[in-house]
Amino acid sequence: MTIRIIPPSPGSAQPSEEPNGAIVSIPTAATLAPQAYEQLLHSCTAAMPNEACGVLAGTIQRIDGGAPVVNVTHVYSILNAAAEDGVNNSFAFEPASWIQTLYHMQNNRQSLVGYYHSHPASPPLPSASDMIGIREAAARDTSYWIISLANSARQPVVQPYWIHNDPNGQLCCSPLMLTEIRI
């Protein structure tokens, strides 16, 4: 099984500066455990033609003093409230499902490392409505994964991003290189 990897754009590995002047290194890569990959694809294909959505659990580790790496070990689907309203090109976490998932993760001592959703008919690029949702949720310093199912003749495209503010305080979604999926 092959996965199409969209490499980070030049300069995305650059450290960012916090308001207090400290330099912070942002992740440039992500890994996805095999069972997490299967859960992710199942969640996204089962939701068709609607968008799937959910959260990712795992760790963020710095290896040998390099940039941090996002390691996803578990995928948790959350009901898409927008789909329940008949909207198939948008997603919104259904509140009760979202709270139940957070409690489950907390009880199992798991760390939230990201959010995901699918694009059933478009590439894995953050849309204008994705960026509005990120701003409204005040999601920062976390991963954001988009799974494109636009080309059903080929494999889904899994593209992780890192959400952060650039040195000017502007919201950014920097692509992460998906470095490992073992099937």
Side-chain angles (χ1 to χ4, degrees), residues 91 115 117 125-146 161-165 171-174:
F91 76 95
Y115 304 90
H117 78 284
L125 302 170
S127 67
S129 61
D130 291 340
M131 296 304 290
I132 290 168
I134 291 168
R135 274 189 203 91
E136 289 176 356
R140 301 290 187 282
D141 300 319
T142 192
S143 66
Y144 186 72
W145 298 56
I146 302 175
Y161 295 88
W162 187 255
I163 302 169
H164 61 101
N165 286 336
L171 181 65
C172 294
C173 284
S174 297

Side-chain angles (χ1 to χ4, degrees), residues 29-113:
T31 66
L32 189 57
Q35 74 278 5
Y37 175 74
E38 294 299 328
Q39 291 170 330
L40 189 62
L41 292 188
H42 175 68
S43 168
C44 294
T45 56
M48 292 287 285
N50 299 311
E51 291 190 6
C53 58
V55 296
L56 306 165
T59 61
I60 298 175
Q61 298 174 316
R62 187 178 300 272
I63 300 172
D64 296 330
V69 175
V70 178
N71 300 303
V72 175
T73 56
H74 294 83
V75 174
Y76 295 102
S77 299
I78 296 179
L79 293 176
N80 182 352
E84 293 174 359
D85 294 337
V87 179
N88 68 356
N89 64 348
S90 182
F91 76 95
F93 287 177
E94 192 278 323
S97 179
W98 170 225
I99 291 168
Q100 181 181 17
T101 299
L102 284 178
Y103 280 136
H104 174 81
M105 289 174 60
Q106 186 176 38
N107 287 339
N108 289 291
R109 299 177 192 257
Q110 295 174 322
S111 296
L112 178 77
V113 296

